[in-house]
Amino acid sequence: MAFDSFAAFLAMGGHAAYVWPAYGATLLLLIGVVLHLRLERRRLWRELRRRARRERRQAGDANREVSS
Amino acid sequence: MWAFFHKLASPKGFYAFSARLSPWFWAAAAVLIGAGVVWGLAFAPADYQQGNSFRIIYVHVPAAFLAQSIFVAMALAGLVFMVWKIKLADMAATAMAPLGAGMTFVALLSGAVWGVPTWGTWWQWDARLTSMLILFFLYIGVIALRGAFDGRDSGSRAASVLTMVGVINIPIIKYSVEWWYTLHQPATFSITSRPAMPVEMWLPLLIMVLGFYSFFIAVTLTRTRSVILHRESAKRWVRELAGEDG
């Protein structure tokens, strides 16, 4: 451990104003990228499933017309 | 063997293959970055000159590595797409671009906040900093250009050409610290010589760099899958996949 106390760790030897924003921005990017990936995939799947349902419905309608 | 590569280069084959591969890279990224952050922030010794602001190196250097590596990867993908017309290469390049832009931004930002206590300024129009800023604009340009065409193929070709031309900037970034007078220090790591830092300083850095590369591979595998589904949404296999899913 390079620090004597948790307070010293937070203070970063007077460099807190530089160290924490640099790490904060990096973690924000990493987390943001992961969240964006998940959101993007969820949206895409919703759209793909919607399309598949529509196609099935249309196919069903066509079948009914043939049988009647 | 040849058949394996052929299958892998097809979007459908890659979709199946990447699903099995990506969890390993996500896990490696989480473990390495988690360990690297704790080690770098709390356990690595402070620098005798810079004090604790030195710890910024553990996010700054990996971000700067990725910023450049991702652009090179995109340029190679662009070349494969243009020469062999392999669409998967273009899909991968599409998937990578935003992460590359983000990493360039973080490298610039972490460098700027590091510059304040170390150089007394957050910005200097010198060769290294300016060429990194140009890299950021190149990423934005590639992303914008791809979306600026009505036809997908035209956008992909234009983006590939811009990437292949823009990659000239990468050796300029690398050698900027040697060719011109600059505030920025020369490379921390090199293949030919031992690092100038003690082990307890460079080992966490190495772990962070490996973690960031794992993250890049994981993101690329995962996001390329989304790009594949999106672009192949009219194809039979994707429609069947969507139908099965409910």
Side-chain angles (χ1 to χ4, degrees):
Chain A
M1 198 73 179
F3 299 95
D4 298 329
S5 66
F6 189 67
F9 172 68
L10 289 181
M12 280 288 151
H15 284 151
Y18 314 113
V19 174
W20 294 117
Y23 276 78
T26 310
L27 290 183
L28 215 62
L29 173 75
L30 299 181
I31 293 166
V33 165
V34 171
L35 290 181
H36 172 249
L37 269 177
R38 297 176 66 155
L39 191 75
E40 192 180 49
R41 195 172 42 192
R42 209 172 302 162
R43 268 201 203 128
L44 182 65
W45 272 109
R46 205 180 299 146
E47 171 64 23
L48 289 175
R49 275 195 295 263
R50 205 172 54 83
R51 241 187 264 182
R53 269 200 302 274
R54 199 174 49 208
E55 271 173 25
R56 238 192 330 253
R57 228 178 8 246
Q58 279 165 356
D61 289 348
N63 282 344
R64 260 195 302 282
E65 271 169 38
V66 169
S67 60
S68 66
Chain B
M1 189 70 182
W2 191 243
F4 173 74
F5 279 117
H6 194 76
K7 187 166 166 253
L8 200 60
S10 81
K12 189 185 171 185
F14 182 85
Y15 189 83
F17 178 71
S18 58
R20 277 182 293 147
L21 207 58
S22 65
W24 297 99
F25 285 100
W26 282 117
V31 170
L32 290 169
I33 293 174
V37 164
V38 173
W39 197 344
L41 268 178
F43 292 93
D47 185 71
Y48 77 102
Q49 274 181 326
Q50 297 186 23
N52 286 299
S53 68
F54 161 81
R55 299 183 193 283
I56 293 172
I57 200 172
Y58 300 114
V59 291
H60 178 74
V61 166
F65 274 15
L66 272 201
Q68 297 170 70
S69 300
I70 293 175
F71 206 88
V72 173
M74 281 166 53
L76 290 173
L79 186 75
V80 169
F81 173 67
M82 293 298 272
V83 174
W84 290 286
K85 310 276 177 238
I86 294 174
K87 286 208 173 78
L88 181 64
D90 180 59
M91 294 178 186
T94 309
M96 289 174 201
L99 182 65
M103 284 296 166
T104 313
F105 183 78
V106 161
L108 285 166
L109 190 111
S110 59
V113 294
W114 198 2
V116 175
T118 315
W119 301 336
T121 179
W122 64 276
W123 187 261
Q124 187 87 32
W125 289 102
D126 77 357
R128 172 58 71 87
L129 277 62
T130 308
S131 55
M132 272 306 271
L133 188 64
I134 290 170
L135 181 67
F136 181 67
F137 291 140
L138 279 170
Y139 273 118
I140 302 298
V142 169
I143 293 168
L145 198 57
R146 197 184 293 279
F149 288 82
D150 287 331
R152 176 169 295 142
D153 218 44
S154 320
S156 295
R157 273 199 303 260
S160 299
V161 169
L162 179 58
T163 318
M164 278 150 49
V165 173
V167 83
I168 294 168
N169 189 40
I170 298 297
I172 296 178
I173 294 173
K174 177 159 169 44
Y175 293 108
S176 58
V177 287
E178 293 166 26
W179 291 344
W180 292 284
Y181 175 75
T182 160
L183 276 178
H184 199 283
Q185 62 170 345
T188 312
F189 279 145
S190 81
I191 299 166
T192 48
S193 63
R194 292 182 59 79
M197 286 189 278
V199 182
E200 58 270 33
M201 278 181 170
W202 66 253
L203 198 56
L205 182 55
L206 186 66
I207 287 171
M208 281 297 268
V209 167
L210 293 175
F212 270 56
Y213 274 101
S214 303
F215 185 79
F216 162 50
I217 295 168
V219 168
T220 305
L221 289 174
T222 306
R223 189 145 192 265
T224 303
R225 289 162 60 76
S226 290
V227 177
I228 288 172
L229 286 184
H230 179 66
R231 290 203 193 170
E232 307 254 287
S233 57
K235 293 266 169 69
R236 192 193 174 92
W237 72 272
V238 177
R239 277 158 53 202
E240 279 173 0
L241 209 63
E244 282 165 22
D245 213 63

